Amino acid sequence: LRFAMMLFPCSKFIFNWRRNSTEQMLRQNALFGEVTADAVVTPVFEAFAKKMPPGRSHTFVLEDFQDVRNWNRLLHWIGETNCTYQRVLHSNKEAYSIDDINASETKGLIKGNCAL
């Protein structure tokens, strides 16, 4: 991480994890095969995020994905001030199977004119 910060001095980092590390291990096991407790990187991500200079990191816990306010905080953090999300579209139901999302479901997701 220090190398990435040095190589990309204007970069920002988004750290994402699950609060429930047991559930994280179960999901990782289901998707990638047997995963040990050492593979759960939540404490590592939390430590990295805390050590980052102010404004360089944003944390986004998976259990908070359904709350549109968190997505709007992320937009603001990356510098987007001209638009907001109106709702969250859930596109990975049933453990990442393909959903039948039609165009009508995507209308009205964003309000304003995003610059980024």
Side-chain angles (χ1 to χ4, degrees), residues 1 11-17 45 49 52 56-61 65 71 74-75 77-78:
L1 187 60
S11 61
K12 293 184 174 190
F13 298 83
I14 300 170
F15 293 96
N16 172 248
W17 62 80
F45 282 175
M52 300 285 290
R56 293 283 303 268
S57 71
H58 183 82
T59 59
F60 204 155
V61 180
F65 271 29
W71 291 98
L74 180 61
L75 275 179
W77 178 74
I78 63 172

Side-chain angles (χ1 to χ4, degrees), residues 4 9 19 24 33 44-45 47 54-55 61 63 69 75-76 79 81 84-85 89 96 104 116:
R19 275 190 200 94
Q24 180 177 338
V44 175
F45 282 175
V61 180
E63 288 87 348
R69 293 173 297 184
L75 275 179
H76 183 75
T81 58
T84 56
Y85 291 108
L89 181 63
Y96 300 99
S104 66
L116 299 176

Side-chain angles (χ1 to χ4, degrees), residues 33-102:
E34 189 65 30
V35 176
T36 65
D38 296 337
V40 177
V41 295
T42 299
V44 175
F45 282 175
E46 288 179 295
F48 277 150
K50 287 178 183 175
K51 289 179 182 178
M52 300 285 290
R56 293 283 303 268
S57 71
H58 183 82
T59 59
F60 204 155
V61 180
L62 181 68
E63 288 87 348
D64 296 336
F65 271 29
Q66 73 280 0
D67 187 339
V68 72
R69 293 173 297 184
N70 293 317
W71 291 98
N72 287 322
R73 282 187 203 102
L74 180 61
L75 275 179
H76 183 75
W77 178 74
I78 63 172
E80 181 57 71
T81 58
N82 296 320
C83 65
T84 56
Y85 291 108
Q86 300 302 295
R87 59 190 175 92
V88 177
L89 181 63
H90 186 183
S91 64
N92 68 336
K93 295 177 187 174
E94 305 302 327
Y96 300 99
S97 65
I98 298 172
D99 292 341
D100 293 325
I101 298 174
N102 60 49

